[in-house]
Amino acid sequence: MKKYIEGRALFVIPIMLVLSFFTFALTYLSPSDPIALRYERMGAVPDQELLEAEREAAGLNDPFLVQYWNWLRNVLRGDLGKSYFYGTSVWSEMTRRIPNTLTLTGATLLLTVLFATPLGILSAVKQGTWVDGLIRFISFFGVSMPSFWVGTLLMYAFGVKLKLLPILGSGDLQHLVLPAVTLAFWMVSLYVRRVRGSMLEEMNKDYLTGALAQGMSRRRVILKQILPNSLLSVITMFAMSIGSLLGGATIVETIFEWKGVGKMAVEAISVRDYPIIQGYVLWMAIIYVTVNLVVDLSYHYLDPRIRLGGRR
Amino acid sequence: MNSYVKKALRSPSFMILLCLAIVLILIPVFAPQLAPHDPLETNYAASMVEHSAEYPMGTDQIGRCILSRLIWGGRTSLLIVFWVVAIVAVVGILLGVVAGFAGGWVDMLITRVNDIVVAIPSTVFVIALVSVLGPSLRNTVLAMSLVGWTEYCRVSRALVLSVRENNYVDMARMGGLSEAQVIKRVILPNVFPYLLVNITQDIGANLLTLSGLSLLGLSSQPPTPEWGFMLSEGRKFITAAPWLIIWPGSVIVLHVVIFNLLGDSLRDILDPRWEKKERKWRKMRKWQTNA
């Protein structure tokens, strides 16, 4: 197992190199000048000499490969560089944004687990009844709606009409409700369908008949046998969802002005803030590796077949 | 293939959904005949009308007819989506078939590239590409295609590997068919029906992605009507004119729902057993893009 984890961790190095090189190349190709953009934002009109001097100082006049190499060397030393746009260090910008994304992700996941699991079980157990039909109908629409449309409608209902919740901004609990519910609505719909599907698949297996024949109660069979087995197949997908939420729910963060990493990345892209973009790529790589590792480990502990296979 | 057609003709739900989908596609095609107004025509005397005899779905902030804009908007939205789906299906299936058939280093290279593209969060990647290339119809299609092909590649590679094991492929080769002919005549016909489901449901998924891009101002440029863009413009007037977002949103949902249901029933026709294995994997990737 240890060897396996090492292999996984090693695989991320080529991915990291390719990704960072690719993002660097992309931003390098873009026509606009980040230094000029920064002054533009401050409302100042710098003369050409000053711009040139700043570009020189930021290393923007060096050839592409030199710039890339300098960046890479600094990252290996633990220095992510300074944002062209904000003027602050990438590290401090990231540490300001990441907690917000973590909060939003946490809240969304909590809602998803709390609602999707019982609803999915209910829908599978009551297969073919009106309860099942209703749950499936709503969840089908849940996955078919653009998330920012749902967000805007919720904003209109709870923020504008009922005046219960603030519409924009980030930070406290009140601001968290609408974006979390928007994301959770879509996530819950998705997972209700998944949980239902894998529960039904498990229910068709022979061991169920065996357990019932031995006199186990239906409730016990569902909770102790079917549920753990069917959740196993949901785990991989769930981990990928966590990964994509941690990467920043760009759209939802944008409409609710939630200051997370997804919004940061999009803003950085629009002003060509290379250091921030590269910092974001690094964050994504960390998430990718962690998520994959957690999935493998959870399989290892939850599925005895894999565990036994690993010992051999 | 013929037995599939027969089965499809006998399934009422499939036929109804197919007709609905065709109607949805025909509406923007006949936009000049169907739309009551010019989608760009402004009427300041009647701006922000909720609904009237002249404007059944109301007007926007500068008095343009929403119904007409929605009908014309389908041209842009659906055109982008169909282009993307066509490109990713062709490229993805081709790469997957080549990888599965060739094996060796070709297979490894394609699979590795596939892994890397999957590892990048697709929303951010598309946004990055479009903003670097500059927002335009062509660049939007290009960026969405660059992230969309992996699914087809992976599925068709897996299908080719499983088909390859069958004796009839060896038979065909022994019968004197070249590698290219084997792919074209034996493998593709076997693989394509399964991917047809993917293609249908990709239309819905891409509509959702596109509407997200439009929100950030990265698809069509004003004043060209486009559904996602209409939504993002309508957000500014949410308190005064909620119908500006209700109608375009409903139209997007309608399209996504119809194409998804069509895909579902298509899958039932092609192979009921297939659901268990492939659907799980397909869904996993597809729905990551809507956040």
Side-chain angles (χ1 to χ4, degrees):
Chain A
M1 194 61 203
K2 199 175 154 225
K3 211 171 175 186
Y4 181 74
I5 295 176
E6 277 166 7
R8 253 292 142 79
L10 281 180
F11 179 62
V12 81
I13 294 172
I15 287 200
M16 247 334 273
L17 282 175
V18 172
L19 268 183
S20 67
F21 186 82
F22 190 68
T23 30
F24 217 91
L26 254 181
T27 40
Y28 185 79
L29 288 173
S30 69
S32 57
D33 176 6
I35 306 285
L37 272 171
R38 187 173 83 208
Y39 278 105
E40 212 171 275
R41 192 176 84 131
M42 295 192 299
V45 186
D47 55 38
Q48 214 52 43
E49 261 172 57
L50 182 65
L51 273 182
E52 203 47 49
E54 287 238 7
R55 253 186 239 137
E56 194 65 48
L60 288 171
N61 285 344
D62 297 337
F64 171 67
L65 284 174
V66 175
Q67 283 191 39
Y68 180 65
W69 172 243
N70 284 337
W71 175 81
L72 201 64
R73 217 175 40 189
N74 283 332
V75 168
L76 292 177
R77 277 202 226 109
D79 177 13
L80 289 174
K82 260 168 82 173
S83 157
Y84 296 154
F85 194 69
Y86 303 103
T88 53
S89 80
V90 174
W91 181 245
S92 73
E93 189 61 27
M94 297 284 291
T95 45
R96 226 153 45 85
R97 301 289 191 135
I98 290 174
N100 282 334
T101 291
L102 288 179
T103 319
L104 186 58
T105 306
T108 308
L109 294 179
L110 189 71
L111 287 173
T112 307
V113 172
L114 280 182
F115 286 94
T117 330
L119 286 175
I121 297 171
L122 190 68
S123 182
V125 173
K126 304 257 176 204
Q127 192 199 357
T129 64
W130 67 269
V131 181
D132 179 33
L134 186 71
I135 293 175
R136 287 176 70 193
F137 183 79
I138 295 175
S139 61
F140 191 82
F141 272 88
V143 293
S144 303
M145 289 198 253
S147 57
F148 82 89
W149 190 57
V150 177
T152 316
L153 291 180
L154 287 175
M155 230 185 225
Y156 179 68
F158 292 97
V160 179
K161 280 281 161 191
L162 301 170
K163 294 198 171 48
L164 283 175
L165 294 161
I167 297 178
L168 302 176
S170 60
D172 59 3
L173 193 65
Q174 283 199 318
H175 285 99
L176 177 63
V177 177
L178 285 182
V181 169
T182 305
L183 283 171
F185 182 54
W186 163 69
M187 286 272 286
V188 169
S189 305
L190 183 57
Y191 282 98
V192 164
R193 289 162 67 82
R194 273 307 298 147
V195 171
R196 179 183 181 275
S198 59
M199 287 272 294
L200 288 179
E201 205 176 305
E202 282 297 318
M203 281 168 156
N204 284 331
K205 289 190 176 158
D206 292 337
Y207 70 82
L208 174 66
T209 327
L212 286 174
Q214 281 191 338
M216 270 174 97
S217 72
R218 228 176 105 82
R219 173 191 294 265
R220 210 185 131 104
V221 173
I222 286 169
L223 290 180
K224 295 264 165 167
Q225 314 276 337
I226 298 177
L227 188 63
N229 280 335
S230 51
L231 286 185
L232 199 64
S233 70
V234 183
I235 281 179
T236 319
M237 191 194 182
F238 196 63
M240 282 173 80
S241 293
I242 297 176
S244 91
L245 281 177
L246 285 175
T250 320
I251 309 282
V252 172
E253 281 178 5
T254 304
I255 60 169
F256 288 103
E257 290 287 326
W258 184 267
K259 293 192 170 52
V261 281
K263 191 162 147 42
M264 178 193 78
V266 173
E267 284 168 354
I269 288 163
S270 66
V271 295
R272 329 280 176 205
D273 197 341
Y274 316 162
I276 292 261
I277 297 173
Q278 293 288 17
Y280 175 76
V281 171
L282 198 66
W283 166 243
M284 282 317 304
I286 295 169
I287 294 169
Y288 177 75
V289 181
T290 323
V291 163
N292 271 301
L293 205 62
V294 169
V295 170
D296 289 337
L297 286 177
S298 65
Y299 265 114
H300 183 74
Y301 286 109
L302 292 174
D303 193 340
R305 283 170 298 186
I306 293 177
R307 194 161 56 220
L308 291 175
R311 264 198 207 131
R312 228 174 281 147
Chain B
M1 205 56 191
N2 255 332
S3 67
Y4 290 139
V5 177
K6 263 186 213 152
K7 231 175 147 184
L9 285 171
R10 260 184 274 136
S11 158
S13 67
F14 175 76
M15 291 314 286
I16 292 170
L17 286 165
L18 187 67
C19 292
L20 281 174
I22 291 172
V23 169
L24 288 184
I25 294 169
L26 286 181
I27 289 174
V29 172
F30 290 103
Q33 286 77 33
L34 290 169
H37 295 271
D38 182 334
L40 303 179
E41 176 196 287
T42 55
N43 179 358
Y44 287 93
S47 71
M48 303 254 223
V49 174
E50 190 163 4
H51 53 79
S52 65
E54 202 189 348
Y55 300 106
M57 290 187 183
T59 58
D60 65 4
Q61 69 279 9
I62 50 175
R64 290 176 297 196
C65 171
I66 302 230
L67 177 63
S68 310
R69 285 180 70 71
L70 283 175
I71 293 173
W72 279 90
R75 288 199 164 189
T76 324
S77 304
L78 291 179
L79 196 70
I80 292 179
V81 169
F82 286 144
W83 264 113
V84 171
V85 174
I87 292 173
V88 295
V90 170
V91 173
I93 293 174
L94 213 64
L95 284 175
V97 169
V98 168
F101 206 76
W105 67 270
V106 180
D107 183 24
M108 209 186 81
L109 184 71
I110 293 177
T111 319
R112 276 281 169 274
V113 174
N114 197 325
D115 281 351
I116 289 174
V117 175
V118 170
I120 310 170
S122 53
T123 324
V124 177
F125 185 61
V126 172
I127 293 167
L129 271 175
V130 177
S131 50
V132 169
L133 298 171
S136 75
L137 213 95
R138 199 195 52 183
N139 290 343
T140 310
V141 171
L142 185 71
M144 284 170 70
S145 306
L146 273 172
V147 297
W149 57 275
T150 53
E151 199 55 37
Y152 295 92
C153 179
R154 203 187 45 70
V155 174
S156 55
R157 177 177 170 274
L159 287 170
V160 166
L161 286 181
S162 67
V163 169
R164 253 183 89 176
E165 299 300 310
N166 283 318
N167 284 336
Y168 62 78
V169 177
D170 291 333
M171 293 295 179
R173 211 176 280 134
M174 273 193 276
L177 290 187
S178 69
E179 297 289 287
Q181 279 172 321
V182 172
I183 292 179
K184 205 176 119 198
R185 292 204 205 151
V186 184
I187 293 191
L188 276 184
N190 271 295
V191 165
F192 195 69
Y194 295 95
L195 289 161
L196 207 57
V197 178
N198 221 353
I199 291 172
T200 317
Q201 299 202 324
D202 229 12
I203 295 172
N206 275 308
L207 265 175
L208 291 179
T209 312
L210 180 64
S211 71
L213 279 183
S214 307
L215 169 80
L216 302 168
L218 294 176
S219 68
S220 73
Q221 294 304 296
T224 320
E226 196 272 327
W227 299 333
F229 187 72
M230 289 174 73
L231 262 182
S232 78
E233 276 212 307
R235 281 180 58 229
K236 296 172 199 149
F237 306 96
I238 180 175
T239 39
W243 60 90
L244 286 186
I245 62 160
I246 290 173
W247 289 117
S250 312
V251 167
I252 294 177
V253 175
L254 180 76
H255 281 77
V256 178
V257 165
I258 300 266
F259 281 107
N260 278 350
L261 286 174
L262 185 69
D264 273 354
S265 69
L266 196 61
R267 188 195 45 240
D268 293 341
I269 288 168
L270 291 175
D271 185 3
R273 275 170 312 148
W274 183 50
E275 182 191 32
K276 286 173 189 162
K277 268 181 285 153
E278 282 309 324
R279 195 177 177 198
K280 181 171 91 196
W281 287 101
R282 188 168 44 72
K283 282 280 154 67
M284 241 186 239
R285 271 293 296 164
K286 195 126 299 164
W287 298 109
Q288 306 294 333
T289 50
N290 193 20

